[in-house]
Amino acid sequence: VFHRRFEHVDEAISKAVSFFEKRSSENARKYCLSYSGGLTFVGCMAMLLFRSYECLESQTFMWSFAVFMGALGAYVSIWGRYTRYELEGVSSKWLYVLESLSRLFIGGIFAFIALLIIKCGLAFPFVNADIEIYAYALCGFAAGLNERFIPSLVEKMTVNKQ
């Protein structure tokens, strides 16, 4: 450029833009996965600690285990689409942290709702005391895995209004 040779300027600009996009995506993934992964790891350690107190048969443990499995399912959902994360505009990293942690929370809420549906006998009436904890864990995980249902629904609704 300083020697008035501009043939490679477009190539240099496109490489710079590509580098910026890749770096932005890497940072967004780092924020989402590190905080949600850290919280999920703490949850795993808490479940192992509760398990060591031999309270497996208590209702409180079963309910909290199912909610944890919902959060774990949400983490798997986050992990499954982490390549789509990109930093946008002036968003701070805390927006991505908040988003990933709220997805874990939504996964736990969905698991709790699934647990209530099972307890009320509206779904899976064949669940008996022998497989109860496994059924709760499996349904909690599946409900948490579907945490993207609500954000997808909201996104479709906003696109339709525009």
Side-chain angles (χ1 to χ4, degrees), residues 38-55:
L39 188 63
T40 304
F41 178 75
V42 168
C44 284
M45 293 298 107
M47 286 297 118
L48 289 174
L49 180 67
F50 289 145
R51 173 68 173 105
S52 67
Y53 285 123
E54 297 180 6
C55 60

Side-chain angles (χ1 to χ4, degrees), residues 25-43 75 78-79 82 85 93-94 96-101 104:
S25 180
E26 289 170 3
N27 282 331
R29 285 183 273 185
K30 177 179 74 174
Y31 299 144
C32 289
L33 295 177
S34 62
Y35 284 92
S36 61
L39 188 63
T40 304
F41 178 75
V42 168
Y75 180 68
I78 291 169
W79 186 259
Y82 79 97
Y85 287 119
K93 77 174 189 175
W94 297 110
Y96 295 94
V97 170
L98 182 62
E99 180 183 345
S100 62
L101 295 181
L104 295 178

Side-chain angles (χ1 to χ4, degrees), residues 97-115:
V97 170
L98 182 62
E99 180 183 345
S100 62
L101 295 181
S102 66
R103 288 181 187 277
L104 295 178
F105 186 69
I106 289 170
I109 290 172
F110 280 8
F112 185 75
I113 291 170
L115 204 66

Side-chain angles (χ1 to χ4, degrees), residues 14-29 85-87:
S14 67
K15 284 182 180 179
V17 168
S18 175
F19 173 79
F20 178 75
E21 288 173 352
K22 287 178 184 175
R23 186 71 178 139
S24 170
S25 180
E26 289 170 3
N27 282 331
R29 285 183 273 185
Y85 287 119
E86 288 186 19
L87 293 176

